């Protein structure tokens, strides 16, 4: 194997580590990048180097940005007294795409998991409690995934905040807009039935 081929194979192996890409998808992506070297590969490499040098976690909420405090935390209009708690940055970005929430966020960095030895101290739960106390928070919205670990984490946070006078709410769960009952799993149908409301 020549030096050039080794470089390409090393790039394919690195690309294959990305979520959603296996070895075959990575190979196709690398071949596309090589064919479009000037238009795609060089700008991509430059952008990746720039982000690698400047990206950092927000010291307040855990979001990813290029400053020590992210744009959301710096925006005074978002000091609404509400904090939306999410598992990771991808969830925060998904919430922002909806343009529905105008408060601030708190990224836990995972969920509680006894099997993986992940306790409150491994997550940003103590930091959340400090923010609730220091920022005059009136409502904590738990936007955690509807998994066993997500719900365990939500219950732990709700219990910890009990008696503080802070309202703890969670996102509604159930039938999605445009969803058909025949395609839903049993757990989703049960959650939707429990969360029913008057029409």
């Amino acid at each position: 194997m020549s030096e050039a081929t080794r470089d390409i194979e090393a790039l394919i192996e690195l690309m294959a580590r990305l979520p959603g890409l296996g070895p075959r998808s990575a190979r196709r992506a690398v071949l596309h990048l090589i064919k479009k070297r000037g238009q795609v590969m060089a700008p991509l490499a430059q952008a990746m180097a720039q982000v690698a040098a400047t990206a950092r976690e927000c010291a307040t909420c855990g979001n990813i940005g290029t400053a020590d405090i992210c744009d959301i935390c710096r925006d005074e209009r978002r000091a609404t007294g509400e904090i939306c708690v999410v598992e990771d940055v991808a969830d925060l970005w998904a919430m922002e795409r909806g343009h529905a929430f105008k408060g601030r966020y708190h990224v836990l960095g995972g969920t509680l998991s006894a099997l993986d030895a992940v306790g409150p101290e491994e997550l940003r739960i103590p930091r959340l409690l400090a923010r609730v106390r220091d920022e005059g928070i009136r409502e904590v919205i738990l936007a955690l995934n509807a998994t066993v670990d997500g719900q365990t984490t939500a219950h732990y946070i709700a219990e910890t905040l009990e008696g503080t006078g802070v309202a703890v709410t969670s996102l509604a769960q159930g039938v999605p807009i445009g969803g058909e009952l025949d395609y839903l799993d049993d757990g989703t149908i049960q959650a939707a039935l429990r969360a029913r409301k008057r029409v």
Side-chain angles (χ1 to χ4, degrees), residues 33 37-55:
L33 289 171
R37 209 170 312 177
Q39 301 98 329
V40 180
M41 191 177 213
L44 177 63
Q46 187 177 2
M48 289 177 76
Q50 179 70 23
V51 170
T54 61

Side-chain angles (χ1 to χ4, degrees), residues 86-154:
V86 294
E87 184 177 330
D88 58 36
V89 174
D91 298 330
L92 186 158
W93 291 358
M95 292 288 292
E96 281 295 282
R97 279 196 310 270
H99 302 290
F101 181 65
K102 302 301 180 195
R104 291 184 173 160
Y105 293 92
H106 189 82
V107 180
L108 293 176
T111 53
L112 296 172
S113 173
L115 288 175
D116 299 322
V118 178
E121 298 301 323
E122 284 73 41
L123 303 176
R124 293 191 189 90
I125 293 176
R127 178 74 186 121
L128 171 64
L129 302 177
R131 289 185 67 194
V132 166
R133 183 186 64 241
D134 299 340
E135 296 178 22
I137 300 301
R138 296 183 307 276
E139 182 181 5
V140 173
I141 302 164
L142 301 173
L144 302 175
N145 293 324
T147 61
V148 172
D149 289 344
Q151 295 309 297
T152 301
T153 306

Side-chain angles (χ1 to χ4, degrees), residues 1 8 15 31 39 41 50 69 77 80 82 85 106 116 119 135 141 147 151 188:
M1 184 185 290
I8 293 169
M15 292 283 284
L31 287 173
Q39 301 98 329
M41 191 177 213
Q50 179 70 23
I69 305 296
R77 293 171 299 178
T80 61
E82 299 172 327
V85 178
H106 189 82
D116 299 322
E135 296 178 22
I141 302 164
T147 61
Q151 295 309 297
T188 301

